[in-house]
Amino acid sequence: MAAPNAQLPPGWVAQWDATHQRHLFIETASGRSQWEHPLQTNSPPLDLLSQSPPPDNASAHHATHTKRRQYAAGQTQAYYGTTEAAGFADAAYGAGAGAAPAQQPGQLFTPGLAAESQFASQQGQPPAAQGGYFQGAEPDYPAPAAYAQPPYVGQQPQAAPQIGQLADQFGQMGINPAAGYSQKPFALYTTNLLTAAPDPRELSRPPPEIRLPPNACISNSPFANCDPSYQRSTLNAIPANNSILSKSKLPFALVITPYRSIQEGDDAVPLVTDTVIARCRRCRSYINPYCQFIDGGNRWKCVLCNYSNETPQLFDWDQTRNVAADRWARAELNHAVVEYVAPTEYMVRPPQPPYYTFLIDVSQAAVQSGMVATATRTILESLDRIPNADDRTKVAIIGFDTALYFFSIAPGAAESTMLVVSDVDDVFLPKPTDLLVNLTEARAGLENLLSRLGEMFQNTHTVGSALGPALQAAFKMISAIGGKIIVLSSSLPSIGTGALKVREDPKVLGTSKESALLQPASNFYKTFAIDCSRSQVSVDMFLFSSGYTDVATLSCLPHYTSGSTFFYPAFNASRSEDAIKFAHEFSEILASPIMLEAVIRVRATKGLRMSGFHGNFFVRSTDLLAMPAVPLDQSYAIEIAIDDPINSSFAVLQTAVLHSTSSGERRIRVLTLALPVTSNISEVFASADQIAIATFLANKAVERSLSSKLEDARDAITNKLTEILGTYKSTMTAAGAGASAQLAVCENLKMLPVLCLGLLKHVGIRQSSQIPSDLRAYAQTLLTTLPSQMLIPYIYPAFYSLHNMPPEAGTIGERGIIMPPSLPPTSERLERHGLFVIEDGQTIFLWVGRDAVPQLVMDVFNLPSYEQLRGGKMTLPLLDNPFSQRVNAIISKIREMRRGPYWPHLYVVKEDGEPPLRLWALSNLIQDRADQLPSYQQYINTVKEKINIGGYT
């Protein structure tokens, strides 16, 4: 090829390889090489591994030119990021993303790499794998394709010579030959936590790569294994038996978000509409990309139980066009996440229409706070967004204070009639019809009622709440069909069934008795919730109060009916920020598509058993979860036990969700996750997913705090971390069981200690006598329901510097607004003249240093000086200058970049401002010492001491 460099795209160079007498093309930013000309081939995305490794001598020749350790092709790029991303790194933060990590003296040794020449290679940084989960949050580490697997699932990726030598060494350390394990195993990289500071950018990296055996999958689709945003495991290599799992001390669990929202750029879930559903006759699992066809394709072998099933006759037939179809193009054989339109045999009754019953507190507290006016206006403006396919949706509105107020609307009428029931001890419906009305037919009457409801009660002086009787009335109204009850309450229930008393005692807070305040105070709400679940009724709670609300008791309703809880302490709609937050979150819930009368079951390869369940649902039988309505972006954690040894080379975990859509279809959503099986404990450690583990530990901590004490929950977190690190030290390092001056952990778990510290310092768990029980109870509901993408920043807040951010930050890039680089959440990064953002997904703090220059204050707040700035909740002005526009863009991006309905408040915090607000903001810098809580360095030193004295055994 003549003058190849002149014909190359930017960023590529050509090197002549004398051995093969051809050009080798190298991407200078990443060191990635290929034999094909970049313009003559469709190169795979940077996060996909190359399919054709060059010969060994070519790799060696390549290595001499790059002057950088070579990883498998494509992995270097995924690890270091693109050239542009590397430029985003703040000079004050440290080395840029493109800088290779420096060799640390006295690094730890992993058995199995005894040769002197191999020790240095062992200490290198691990390659990155699939695309990242926190898309858009980190410009430093772009994630082009959402968790794309290599084009041939299970195919061995290219490995440079050093990685191959590592893999060969690990191959001699006990890979399960009986399981047919022929692919290269994970390489284990050890780091010293005492010298490796936490890097928040590590949390935007993908989970450890899933390395399946060759030919495990019948499809070469990149979507053949489950996207971690739907379903992820704490271990991406399953131990072959319970002995190995117990020895590792690692938890084995699934984190499932079956209905995560679809954002811009996401692929929709494929829909199979021909009602041809192939299921195993023995274990009832669904056909998937990991089954095997036998007998000429007339039968298929179940990958879970190995039973041979007949292939459905219409499996290869296109019923729409009435012609033969390509079997290999079917969605269920190419996609791990797929949805079926279910035939009539999956229906006990016709799919229910969406029914919404609004219970609106109209007491004096609710009216004066502006909750009633804001709620009714939001419902009115959301009528067109409420799911109403085929005009099937029905709506009812019930007001309550010390009495119940029903509103009757005749079809087509523009006026409503209010019917009052004062006897709350014996609840009845005052009219058999026209209380639950068709949204389309009664649209005029509903609009008129919603526009006047606030005025009807604007002069009320009634104090008290008959929430329990109101719930009973709503249940009577919709229990025959099912639906949603949406409660908006501004005061503690005080009248009739379910009445509660103020039980919070400041003397109990921070003591061993505090856990009692987090338990339900009345059995009515749990019993009522279970009745609702059986009748396919889900309850959402929106709680507003300037005083005690007993969130712990009222949140029982959403917990057992798969609903959601929202809490707005000290709500006052006269503050526009409060009104905007509630209106946004309420309208998002109203507009969400709802999955009704759902049941979830997780099936797994023989030998695996679902042993524990965490989340908002009711366990109907040993492994069947009942959900009257499945919300978007709500997460569930399921513990897995290994009862019998697994003899296959890989295992499959399949979640099936049978539900009715709001459009009246019965559907089945199937999530299939295939994971390799190993008898090598080093592979178990190398495959551990720290984000999934932290999500699971959050659920376990909340469970422990409710069943025992908060102190026990905190101890359980530290004990589990100590067990994991102690086991790693004794089995994976040369120190063994003896004392060590270092704290060893595998590279893929190096952020787990700081995530555990974040849990210990979280409002829902931490030791404090200043946290009201309502705030703690609400925080615990979020810890057990948020998906990983939202939970991780909730326990490990994001921290950005704005005053010296790169020029690209706050501007529009290829994937939207470019965010500044993340900083470790520690006050060491604060500067007196700086402007910083601290955010956890629920609250945004804009920290202003006391020496901030007047021009910065003017550009951001339109004020002449720092002294005139007032701290507190506010809306940031959008001014006519570039810096203001960039800061506003970043705040908007923070509110939009994660899934979920939440709209975080913005608080401006002055460095010398009000102490409570200042301390609240600083409590999010979790790597610092605060009150009785240790700093990160103190915490890991404590863990190290426990390990050295054998305190983890």
Side-chain angles (χ1 to χ4, degrees):
M1 183 181 293
N5 281 312
Q7 304 175 28
L8 290 173
W12 289 81
V13 297
Q15 299 279 358
W16 178 256
D17 189 289
T19 304
H20 295 85
Q21 294 297 302
R22 61 187 296 191
H23 282 95
L24 181 69
F25 298 93
I26 303 171
E27 190 178 28
T28 56
S30 65
R32 169 170 170 252
S33 63
Q34 63 185 46
W35 296 108
E36 296 81 10
H37 193 284
L39 297 180
Q40 294 176 349
T41 181
N42 291 325
S43 299
L46 297 179
D47 61 331
L48 300 185
L49 307 180
S50 292
Q51 302 299 304
S52 304
D56 288 345
N57 53 1
S59 297
H61 177 77
H62 176 201
T64 62
H65 285 280
T66 59
K67 298 182 180 178
R68 177 189 290 171
R69 171 179 173 171
Q70 296 302 301
Y71 296 102
Q75 293 184 350
T76 307
Q77 181 69 19
Y79 180 78
Y80 290 117
T82 62
T83 304
E84 292 80 7
F88 293 163
D90 188 355
Y93 181 72
Q103 178 74 20
Q104 296 291 335
Q107 286 188 317
L108 302 168
F109 175 72
T110 299
L113 300 181
E116 224 180 69
S117 61
Q118 294 167 350
F119 177 73
S121 67
Q122 176 195 331
Q123 300 304 323
Q125 295 295 319
Q130 305 158 331
Y133 181 55
F134 297 88
Q135 296 180 7
E138 275 302 328
D140 299 65
Y141 296 94
Y147 302 97
Q149 294 282 351
Y152 185 78
V153 178
Q155 178 174 344
Q156 174 58 30
Q158 171 186 346
Q162 290 178 331
I163 299 301
Q165 293 169 10
L166 290 174
D168 291 339
Q169 290 290 336
F170 277 107
Q172 301 169 11
M173 293 173 58
I175 299 301
N176 186 5
Y181 219 113
S182 60
Q183 80 275 21
K184 296 290 185 183
F186 287 98
L188 192 66
Y189 299 87
T190 301
T191 189
N192 181 8
L193 289 172
L194 299 180
T195 58
D199 184 348
R201 293 172 294 184
E202 292 287 336
L203 297 175
S204 63
R205 299 193 190 282
E209 181 188 2
I210 297 174
R211 300 186 179 183
L212 294 171
N215 302 320
C217 183
I218 60 175
S219 168
N220 61 359
S221 167
F223 307 105
N225 218 347
C226 198
D227 186 314
S229 62
Y230 286 105
Q231 180 168 280
R232 67 195 301 165
S233 171
T234 57
L235 302 176
N236 279 351
I238 299 176
N241 54 62
N242 188 59
S243 175
I244 300 172
L245 178 62
S246 299
K247 183 179 179 182
S248 73
K249 303 298 183 182
L250 290 165
F252 185 22
L254 276 182
V255 178
I256 305 172
T257 310
Y259 287 96
R260 70 139 170 86
S261 54
I262 303 296
Q263 295 183 325
E264 185 177 354
D266 292 340
D267 294 315
V269 175
L271 181 64
V272 180
T273 59
D274 59 9
T275 67
V276 178
I277 303 177
R279 298 185 67 182
C280 178
R281 295 183 62 185
R282 177 190 288 169
C283 69
R284 303 304 293 158
S285 65
Y286 295 80
I287 199 169
N288 56 74
Y290 302 94
C291 69
Q292 294 180 357
F293 286 98
I294 57 177
D295 192 18
N298 293 320
R299 304 183 69 83
W300 62 279
K301 191 176 181 181
C302 174
V303 70
L304 272 70
C305 69
N306 292 323
Y307 186 78
S308 176
N309 301 272
E310 291 186 2
T311 305
Q313 293 182 352
L314 296 177
F315 202 69
D316 301 319
W317 189 257
D318 187 336
Q319 300 180 48
T320 304
R321 296 183 296 170
N322 205 28
V323 296
D326 179 9
R327 169 182 299 186
W328 305 109
R330 290 189 68 93
E332 59 265 49
L333 299 183
N334 292 279
H335 291 262
V337 182
V338 68
E339 195 157 281
Y340 298 91
V341 175
T344 54
E345 54 261 35
Y346 286 82
M347 305 179 193
V348 177
R349 61 178 184 178
Q352 71 179 66
Y355 283 8
Y356 295 84
T357 301
F358 296 96
L359 299 186
I360 303 176
D361 185 347
V362 292
S363 64
Q364 183 184 39
V367 173
Q368 289 185 347
S369 69
M371 183 276 285
V372 175
T374 308
T376 53
R377 184 177 68 251
T378 303
I379 298 172
L380 178 62
E381 294 174 352
S382 301
L383 290 178
D384 288 328
R385 302 178 66 201
I386 293 176
N388 188 24
D390 303 325
D391 299 331
R392 301 165 67 242
T393 300
K394 292 189 175 182
V395 175
I397 297 176
I398 302 175
F400 67 94
D401 46 27
T402 58
L404 306 183
Y405 305 92
F406 297 86
F407 299 93
S408 172
I409 306 174
E415 297 292 334
S416 60
T417 302
M418 184 169 71
L419 307 170
V420 182
V421 175
S422 300
D423 184 2
V424 296
D425 295 324
D426 185 15
V427 176
F428 64 93
L429 300 181
K431 194 176 180 182
T433 60
D434 297 340
L435 298 179
L436 185 66
V437 298
N438 183 280
L439 177 57
T440 302
E441 295 175 359
R443 179 64 179 265
L446 281 169
E447 290 179 349
N448 183 274
L449 171 61
L450 291 168
S451 63
R452 294 189 303 109
L453 189 62
E455 298 176 0
M456 293 181 187
F457 298 94
Q458 64 181 354
N459 296 320
T460 183
H461 298 286
T462 305
V463 176
S465 169
L467 175 59
L471 287 166
Q472 292 175 324
F475 181 75
K476 287 177 179 289
M477 192 177 294
I478 65 173
S479 60
I481 299 295
K484 287 179 72 73
I485 298 175
I486 299 177
V487 178
L488 301 107
S489 173
S490 286
S491 52
L492 188 71
S494 57
I495 295 174
T497 305
L500 301 173
K501 296 181 180 179
V502 176
R503 55 179 176 143
E504 186 170 70
D505 183 355
K507 297 179 182 178
V508 173
L509 299 181
T511 70
S512 59
K513 298 180 180 180
E514 184 178 5
S515 291
L517 300 179
L518 304 176
Q519 302 282 353
S522 169
N523 289 330
F524 164 77
Y525 292 96
K526 180 177 179 179
T527 304
F528 179 79
I530 294 173
D531 291 339
C532 286
S533 179
R534 290 171 177 159
S535 299
Q536 306 298 343
V537 175
S538 176
V539 183
D540 288 339
M541 300 292 295
F542 289 81
L543 304 175
F544 314 76
S545 180
S546 56
Y548 180 69
T549 310
D550 205 345
V551 174
T553 299
L554 298 181
S555 62
C556 275
L557 293 168
H559 178 72
Y560 292 104
T561 64
S562 67
S564 301
T565 301
F566 294 84
F567 182 43
Y568 306 90
F571 177 83
N572 188 341
S574 63
R575 291 192 297 262
S576 61
E577 293 81 12
D578 285 8
I580 290 172
K581 175 180 173 64
F582 165 53
H584 174 87
E585 296 176 353
F586 189 30
S587 64
E588 287 296 305
I589 292 297
L590 294 178
S592 296
I594 52 177
M595 284 58 71
L596 301 164
E597 46 188 348
V599 289
I600 294 182
R601 175 169 275 139
V602 181
R603 299 177 175 88
T605 296
K606 184 179 179 181
L608 300 178
R609 174 177 56 86
M610 306 304 120
S611 60
F613 305 91
H614 306 273
N616 284 4
F617 47 72
F618 177 66
V619 182
R620 185 175 294 177
S621 62
T622 55
D623 63 345
L624 188 68
L625 310 181
M627 299 182 178
V630 185
L632 287 177
D633 299 311
Q634 193 166 109
S635 183
Y636 314 93
I638 300 178
E639 297 179 66
I640 305 174
I642 304 177
D643 290 338
D644 301 308
I646 306 171
N647 297 318
S648 56
S649 60
F650 69 99
V652 170
L653 299 157
Q654 188 179 81
T655 301
V657 188
L658 176 63
H659 67 281
S660 299
T661 67
S662 52
S663 59
E665 282 185 327
R666 196 69 172 152
R667 290 188 181 180
I668 309 158
R669 177 165 291 194
V670 179
L671 317 175
T672 303
L673 176 64
L675 299 171
V677 175
T678 180
S679 59
N680 186 345
I681 192 172
S682 66
E683 284 212 332
V684 177
F685 274 108
S687 73
D689 181 351
Q690 59 191 354
I691 289 177
I693 291 174
T695 305
F696 172 70
L697 291 180
N699 281 270
K700 289 292 286 184
V702 172
E703 179 190 58
R704 187 68 176 269
S705 71
L706 297 177
S707 63
S708 184
K709 296 181 294 186
L710 281 164
E711 182 181 0
D712 293 337
R714 292 188 288 269
D715 290 343
I717 294 170
T718 300
N719 290 342
K720 173 53 70 174
L721 177 65
T722 306
E723 286 180 353
I724 293 172
L725 299 184
T727 302
Y728 187 87
K729 168 179 168 290
S730 63
T731 59
M732 294 289 106
T733 71
S740 173
Q742 300 175 339
L743 186 57
V745 72
C746 46
E747 188 78 17
N748 51 294
L749 289 181
K750 66 182 180 182
M751 291 297 288
L752 183 60
V754 78
L755 293 177
C756 289
L757 179 62
L759 271 175
L760 292 176
K761 293 188 173 185
H762 193 270
V763 171
I765 304 295
R766 77 167 176 248
Q767 168 66 35
S768 175
S769 59
Q770 305 297 320
I771 301 175
S773 58
D774 278 346
L775 290 179
R776 197 184 286 278
Y778 179 60
Q780 291 192 347
T781 66
L782 294 178
L783 286 174
T784 56
T785 57
L786 290 178
S788 296
Q789 187 201 29
M790 297 184 66
L791 179 67
I792 295 305
Y794 191 46
I795 62 177
Y796 186 78
F799 184 33
Y800 307 103
S801 174
L802 301 187
H803 63 284
N804 57 359
M805 59 183 168
E808 298 87 355
T811 63
I812 299 176
E814 292 182 359
R815 294 195 308 274
I817 302 299
I818 299 172
M819 294 294 291
S822 290
L823 303 178
T826 169
S827 58
E828 293 177 359
R829 296 285 181 170
L830 292 175
E831 298 174 351
R832 287 194 169 186
H833 62 277
L835 182 68
F836 298 87
V837 165
I838 311 168
E839 63 92 10
D840 64 358
Q842 300 295 317
T843 308
I844 303 171
F845 297 100
L846 192 61
W847 178 280
V848 187
R850 67 175 67 184
D851 294 334
V853 296
Q855 188 60 49
L856 184 147
V857 178
M858 176 61 73
D859 286 349
V860 177
F861 303 102
N862 200 28
L863 294 172
S865 66
Y866 172 84
E867 288 72 23
Q868 296 190 29
L869 177 65
R870 296 184 59 186
K873 191 184 304 180
M874 71 172 295
T875 300
L876 206 60
L878 181 59
L879 305 176
D880 188 18
N881 68 77
F883 190 70
S884 171
Q885 294 164 5
R886 291 168 62 200
V887 171
N888 274 276
I890 289 169
I891 300 299
S892 297
K893 179 71 172 181
I894 290 171
R895 285 173 167 156
E896 298 169 358
M897 67 184 179
R898 303 186 186 103
R899 295 181 173 93
Y902 301 100
W903 179 268
H905 273 312
L906 173 68
Y907 289 87
V908 172
V909 184
K910 298 178 66 174
E911 182 181 350
D912 56 0
E914 298 177 6
L917 182 58
R918 181 176 175 275
L919 291 175
W920 182 18
L922 291 176
S923 69
N924 285 271
L925 301 180
I926 63 164
Q927 291 182 208
D928 291 341
R929 181 175 181 177
D931 296 331
Q932 307 172 27
L933 305 174
S935 67
Y936 173 72
Q937 204 65 34
Q938 291 171 325
Y939 182 61
I940 60 174
N941 274 302
T942 301
V943 172
K944 186 196 75 170
E945 291 171 4
K946 285 187 176 183
I947 292 172
N948 284 340
I949 64 174
Y952 65 94
T953 56

